[in-house]
Amino acid sequence: MSLVNLAHVCSHLQNASKARLGLTSIPVSKMHVKLALGLQREGFLSSVTLGGPAPPKPFLLQAQQDPEQLEVMAHKLAEEPWLAYPVGEKTKPPLGQEQVHEVHVPENPARRRLWLGLKYWQNEPVLRYMKLVSKPTRRIWLTSEDLGKITRTRESSYVKGLTHPGECMFVTTDRGVLEARECVERRVGGMALCRVW
Amino acid sequence: MSVCRPAQCLLTKAASTTLPRRPPQRAFHASAPQQGRKKRPHYPSIKADDLKLLTQAAEAEYPIYDITETRLLAKKYTRSQIAAIKAAESIIDARDVLTQGQRRTDSWRLNYEDDLAEVDPVTDRPERLTGDDIKGPKTFTEANEVERDENISRLATENLAKIYPNGLPENESAIQSAMDAAITQATLDPRATYTSKNPRALKALGDERHSIIAPDLPRVENRMARQARRLSTEEVDDPRQKRLLQYMGWDKLKLRSIRVKTLVSHGVVNQTRMGKIRSNYFLTIAGNQDGLLGVGEGKSVEPEEGRKQSVMSAIRNMRPVPRYENRTTFGDLERKVGATKVQLFSRPPGFGLRVQHLIFEIARVAGLQDLSAKTPRSRNKMNVIKATWEALTNQKLPDEIARARGKKLVDVRKVYYGGSVH
């Protein structure tokens, strides 16, 4: 698949951060979803939601448990923390029924959008730089050894090391879209997608 | 031309044409030949009258010993020594001494007129005496009250005599204060509290040469000393500096530990309808070499004023520079000011400051030791300094990044191998 859409996503996220947007949307594709989830795992994004042209309801406007119920749940969890992971689906959940929010997803895939929540800390965007490493005309595949060097701030295979504080690189592998350090840990290589910091 | 010449011949005097001509000398040079230099004698010819005057001056400056002086010499020197002195005096002409002898001008000469016959308090060491110099027993006993009072009154009188060698003044209060001072001095004198059967030992108590305390340095009175002397009360307090110290809550000692360097200075001109007004611009950096860095600008018609302005504002603008292991930056930094872009790269220990001169000065003042840098675009001095300062002070700390992303972060450098990594 062409990386042009991904390049657009990168630019769009940078622009949205500069504009201090709280929520933004990108076109949906399998790779975009995987990358968005990877970004969320690394803490760059607060939420990833599949939706339509209209944004999903913000968290504060969603229906929530009433405070008494929350207090009871907290008390229960403090005594028996394992109740947070209920076993078996048939039994009644010990913490009460989970709140599930309906999000309208259009039938037509072309009308679907991926809604991303952006993060800010101390008046500064958490994600401020996002650029492609592989280009649509020049893909770069990296082995786990290359990635090891790159994560240790050295250049390898014409890819600059991750020298900025907190810099991440996402790599698409046969195990999904992973962060470069995770690839090194699992000893898998793949095609470099983008670098973020 | 050929027509004119015969006419000229007709009009000129006959004598000039008939005189025999000097054969033309061939000139080998374009410039006119120099007249031969007149021979000058090697020695100036002195007239007899001048010589007489010189002899008189020499006799006045270096007179011949008369009888009283030779008698004095005889007391000091032996007969053979006097003969040698006289022989030397007769051989050396006083006129030669006057004309050829000269005062020393080298830097090792004494800075005062001296034949080294006396002791100079500055250049010569003070004379010291020890207990061995006191003859007789060296035992002291504490004086009883009667002796003590007697001693004090005697010493006070001596002190008064020293203060007023020409008699007491008329003024009542002056006498009173002088009396008080003299009595206080006498009370503190060891001769008042101790007595001894040996008068020499008693005398040694008051002798300064026996004191282990070095005598006060003499007050040197010359122009240099007068200019260099400065009392704490006379010290001029810069009002700007005072205000800065108040602002920072510092004392002068702390201000002295701040490193300051003016990196840019040039003239600027303000064009008004009255004409051009020239003033001087200064850009100064300040830092404590331990993670504080400031940049200040100043502009004034007076150069010194502008410099001071910039120094004060640099110190006031000092901001903390986060440093990794107190030696380098946290990761790579980049900052753009105008058309200038500065890229700073953190480097391993022992790398040094391999940066351009302006960034070098900044890094040194801020206390960074390992750094490399690039200025890929414009290298305007002022903008390079400002961009570097902003990059260094606006660093994002890894702790903050981790907090923003909700991740846990641990620095594992110096954790393995017993922390024995360089």
Side-chain angles (χ1 to χ4, degrees):
Chain A
M1 207 209 100
S2 169
L3 287 176
V4 171
N5 294 328
L6 191 63
H8 292 161
V9 165
C10 289
S11 307
H12 178 69
L13 285 182
Q14 278 192 119
N15 294 340
S17 282
K18 275 179 188 154
R20 296 289 196 275
L21 300 187
L23 199 63
T24 187
S25 70
I26 57 171
V28 182
S29 77
K30 280 194 269 181
M31 188 201 266
H32 289 175
V33 171
K34 283 182 198 159
L35 182 68
L37 290 172
L39 283 170
Q40 193 191 25
R41 199 163 53 242
E42 290 302 318
F44 289 103
L45 299 179
S46 60
S47 65
V48 179
T49 319
L50 187 67
K57 223 181 207 179
F59 177 74
L60 285 174
L61 297 183
Q62 288 167 2
Q64 285 173 30
Q65 308 268 19
D66 52 336
E68 285 97 41
Q69 182 64 22
L70 282 175
E71 204 169 305
V72 169
M73 277 166 64
H75 203 70
K76 262 190 189 172
L77 271 179
E79 283 186 356
E80 298 166 294
W82 53 87
L83 293 181
Y85 304 97
V87 190
E89 289 178 4
K90 286 179 182 172
T91 53
K92 199 187 162 198
L95 291 176
Q97 205 59 46
E98 203 178 335
Q99 294 273 348
V100 180
H101 305 289
E102 295 262 322
V103 180
H104 172 66
V105 179
E107 287 282 315
N108 180 0
R111 285 176 63 75
R112 289 176 193 161
R113 300 286 290 179
L114 197 60
W115 289 90
L116 308 177
L118 299 175
K119 277 169 89 173
Y120 302 90
W121 173 253
Q122 289 181 346
N123 218 12
E124 288 277 315
V126 173
L127 185 154
R128 52 157 87 185
Y129 177 94
M130 192 171 177
K131 285 267 166 76
L132 282 191
V133 177
S134 291
K135 301 290 159 71
T137 53
R138 184 171 171 271
R139 313 293 176 106
I140 295 174
W141 281 271
L142 299 168
T143 63
S144 66
E145 285 77 27
D146 289 336
L147 286 168
K149 276 188 190 172
I150 289 164
T151 50
R152 289 182 180 86
T153 72
R154 302 274 170 243
E155 190 180 333
S156 183
S157 297
Y158 306 102
V159 175
K160 290 261 160 54
L162 304 177
T163 50
H164 290 94
E167 192 171 2
C168 294
M169 188 162 76
F170 287 93
V171 183
T172 175
T173 64
D174 52 355
R175 313 281 169 87
V177 174
L178 300 176
E179 212 271 313
R181 292 175 183 88
E182 213 177 339
C183 288
V184 176
E185 218 170 281
R186 297 199 197 176
R187 302 201 178 190
V188 291
M191 191 180 79
L193 287 181
C194 59
R195 55 200 313 159
V196 192
W197 48 273
Chain B
M1 200 162 212
S2 56
V3 180
C4 286
R5 188 164 287 183
Q8 194 185 17
C9 288
L10 285 173
L11 293 170
T12 48
K13 280 183 188 169
S16 67
T17 49
T18 49
L19 276 172
R21 278 212 168 160
R22 247 177 91 206
Q25 229 174 6
R26 215 178 130 197
F28 292 106
H29 305 284
S31 56
Q34 194 189 7
Q35 290 293 321
R37 194 190 275 170
K38 278 181 188 170
K39 278 267 171 159
R40 248 185 258 146
H42 289 298
Y43 305 100
S45 57
I46 300 169
K47 286 175 188 167
D49 292 348
D50 292 348
L51 205 62
K52 210 196 270 177
L53 283 175
L54 197 62
T55 317
Q56 279 171 4
E59 272 173 9
E61 186 85 352
Y62 304 102
I64 302 163
Y65 292 128
D66 60 0
I67 301 161
T68 52
E69 280 166 340
T70 41
R71 264 187 214 146
L72 280 174
L73 279 176
K75 280 183 186 169
K76 190 97 177 173
Y77 301 106
T78 61
R79 199 168 287 175
S80 57
Q81 280 174 329
I82 288 173
I85 288 168
K86 279 190 173 168
E89 295 255 337
S90 64
I91 284 167
I92 298 168
D93 197 347
R95 282 190 323 220
D96 290 347
V97 177
L98 193 69
T99 51
Q100 291 171 33
Q102 49 182 292
R103 301 271 159 121
R104 282 176 70 174
T105 53
D106 55 327
S107 36
W108 293 276
R109 72 186 190 279
L110 293 174
N111 58 355
Y112 49 89
E113 288 282 341
D114 200 355
D115 57 353
L116 301 178
E118 287 175 18
V119 171
D120 185 275
V122 178
T123 51
D124 301 320
R125 288 172 179 244
E127 202 180 346
R128 307 306 294 272
L129 296 178
T130 58
D132 300 335
D133 296 316
I134 305 167
K135 282 175 189 165
K138 291 179 272 284
T139 50
F140 295 97
T141 52
E142 243 180 79
N144 58 33
E145 277 187 16
V146 181
E147 282 171 336
R148 197 160 167 270
D149 291 346
E150 193 187 334
N151 287 341
I152 286 173
S153 63
R154 182 170 49 82
L155 290 167
T157 322
E158 275 176 22
N159 288 339
L160 265 184
K162 261 186 225 167
I163 297 168
Y164 298 111
N166 304 327
L168 286 172
E170 301 291 304
N171 194 351
E172 273 284 324
S173 62
I175 294 176
Q176 194 57 44
S177 62
M179 288 275 274
D180 286 346
I183 289 169
T184 320
Q185 226 173 350
T187 321
L188 294 171
D189 200 303
R191 282 175 292 175
T193 25
Y194 294 100
T195 56
S196 173
K197 280 173 189 167
N198 186 1
R200 288 200 187 93
L202 204 57
K203 208 177 169 190
L205 278 182
D207 197 342
E208 284 213 341
R209 294 175 296 177
H210 280 283
S211 169
I212 58 159
I213 300 164
D216 285 341
L217 285 175
R219 226 169 158 66
V220 181
E221 278 302 333
N222 60 27
R223 197 162 55 85
M224 276 287 285
R226 232 176 295 133
Q227 281 176 357
R229 190 180 303 146
R230 196 188 282 176
L231 296 172
S232 60
T233 51
E234 290 169 6
E235 206 164 272
V236 202
D237 238 359
D238 187 3
R240 204 198 307 278
Q241 187 186 335
K242 206 173 163 190
R243 207 161 351 117
L244 177 82
L245 290 176
Q246 270 180 352
Y247 178 84
M248 307 291 279
W250 285 0
D251 55 352
K252 277 187 183 173
L253 205 67
K254 187 152 187 198
L255 193 67
R256 221 168 286 162
S257 69
I258 299 295
R259 276 261 184 135
V260 168
K261 188 153 191 176
T262 302
L263 293 182
V264 182
S265 68
H266 53 70
V268 291
V269 176
N270 179 20
Q271 178 78 54
T272 64
R273 70 192 166 86
M274 309 300 289
K276 289 173 181 171
I277 300 171
R278 292 172 192 286
S279 44
N280 292 76
Y281 167 88
F282 293 95
L283 194 147
T284 305
I285 57 165
N288 65 347
Q289 298 188 295
D290 195 25
L292 268 185
L293 179 68
V295 172
E297 292 172 301
K299 192 176 71 171
S300 174
V301 177
E302 293 292 321
E304 201 45 47
E305 172 76 13
R307 184 187 296 279
K308 269 186 191 164
Q309 253 181 39
S310 68
V311 167
M312 296 303 158
S313 93
I315 294 171
R316 225 177 16 244
N317 286 344
M318 284 207 300
R319 281 201 265 151
V321 174
R323 297 175 297 162
Y324 180 65
E325 292 179 346
N326 286 347
R327 56 172 188 86
T328 189
T329 59
F330 285 94
D332 294 356
L333 310 170
E334 189 176 308
R335 193 79 180 186
K336 196 164 157 283
V337 170
T340 302
K341 192 158 86 172
V342 170
Q343 294 169 330
L344 302 171
F345 310 105
S346 68
R347 285 288 179 260
F351 185 86
L353 292 174
R354 297 192 209 167
V355 292
Q356 59 138 300
H357 63 290
L358 295 168
I359 301 175
F360 175 85
E361 297 293 349
I362 291 171
R364 202 166 59 152
V365 154
L368 293 163
Q369 283 139 37
D370 304 305
L371 199 69
S372 77
K374 264 188 195 172
T375 40
R377 295 182 58 182
S378 161
R379 280 163 210 168
N380 180 295
K381 285 185 175 182
M382 294 149 65
N383 285 346
V384 165
I385 293 166
K386 286 175 195 168
T388 311
W389 181 47
E390 284 176 13
L392 287 176
T393 50
N394 293 333
Q395 285 181 57
K396 278 203 145 188
L397 297 182
D399 292 348
E400 259 183 43
I401 293 168
R403 190 93 163 72
R405 293 193 196 159
K407 300 211 114 194
K408 190 179 172 183
L409 174 122
V410 177
D411 186 9
V412 290
R413 218 179 96 82
K414 296 197 172 178
V415 167
Y416 298 108
Y417 313 113
S420 62
V421 289
H422 60 253

